[in-house]
Amino acid sequence: MPLTLWLSLAAVCAMGAMSPGPSLAMVLRHTLGGGRAPGVVAGISHALGVGFYALLTVWGLGAVITHQPVVFNVITWGGAAYLAWLGMKALRAGRGGALDAQATITNPVQAARDGVIVALANPKLILFFVALLSQFVSADMGWEAKVIIVATATLIDGAWYVLVAVALSHSRVLPWLQARAHWINRITGVLLFALALRVLLG
């Protein structure tokens, strides 16, 4: 995979992970309620769920490209529309949101369970991956490139949420993030719109 293509993939995966939503709320809840260890465990288990979806998506898209190229084109254009819609939602999102999550008493076992459940029970996650990865998977792509795609999505998601858990163990970080949540949303929205435009321009 060319470096420039990988950088595009990494940037969008990072923005997807950083966007405030139920996953961030879950990691915040476990970090605030149980401390650093449950927060880190929640982030890692969520990343494993994300990696599972990414793996299914890469395999499925590879088969569709080979056997149903017309269907793949429809998926690609539908994915562009979905990414643009996500971008619009991010731009319209206000302050707070997931960053207002309340603490509850928790432990690493509960955190691991919730991390996987939140990832796998989120149907929008698989739609996001279909829309995103359809821009990076090709018919002649080897297994090494597919491993790179799955590993990139998994590691970036895990790294972000582990960083969040570690940072939030310091009490002054959460107010700082809350004050800047709207900027995270705006940056995410612009990036998603840019990716959708890239698809439409071929």
Side-chain angles (χ1 to χ4, degrees):
M1 176 180 292
L3 179 60
T4 54
L5 188 62
W6 180 84
L7 289 174
S8 298
L9 172 66
V12 178
C13 286
M15 289 299 103
M18 293 171 64
S19 178
S23 300
L24 179 58
M26 180 271 302
V27 174
L28 287 177
R29 186 170 65 251
H30 284 290
T31 303
L32 297 175
R36 179 177 298 182
V40 169
V41 169
I44 293 173
S45 61
H46 182 272
L48 294 177
V50 166
F52 177 73
Y53 267 155
L55 182 62
L56 290 182
T57 305
V58 168
W59 275 350
L61 285 175
V64 170
I65 293 171
T66 302
H67 303 292
Q68 299 288 342
V70 175
V71 174
F72 179 74
N73 287 334
V74 172
I75 291 174
T76 301
W77 283 76
Y82 181 66
L83 291 172
W85 179 74
L86 288 178
M88 185 179 300
K89 283 188 63 178
L91 289 174
R92 289 180 175 177
R95 299 172 182 266
L99 295 179
D100 294 330
Q102 299 298 313
T104 57
I105 302 302
T106 185
N107 59 59
V109 174
Q110 294 171 331
R113 178 199 62 202
D114 288 354
V116 173
I117 289 176
V118 167
L120 297 183
N122 184 2
K124 293 182 180 179
L125 190 58
I126 192 68
L127 292 176
F128 177 79
F129 272 120
V130 169
L132 169 64
L133 298 185
S134 64
Q135 322 310 319
F136 299 96
V137 177
S138 61
D140 58 348
M141 178 174 283
W143 67 268
E144 299 94 340
K146 292 179 181 180
V147 168
I148 290 174
I149 290 176
V150 174
T152 298
T154 304
L155 293 176
I156 286 178
D157 187 86
W160 167 248
Y161 287 121
V162 167
L163 178 63
V164 166
V166 171
L168 287 180
S169 61
H170 302 284
S171 59
R172 289 179 294 181
V173 174
L174 183 59
W176 186 90
L177 284 175
Q178 287 173 327
R180 291 158 179 81
H182 61 297
W183 286 110
I184 296 174
N185 279 320
R186 289 176 182 178
I187 293 170
T188 302
V190 169
L191 217 89
L192 290 170
F193 266 118
L195 182 61
L197 184 61
R198 176 180 180 273
V199 177
L200 294 176
L201 295 177

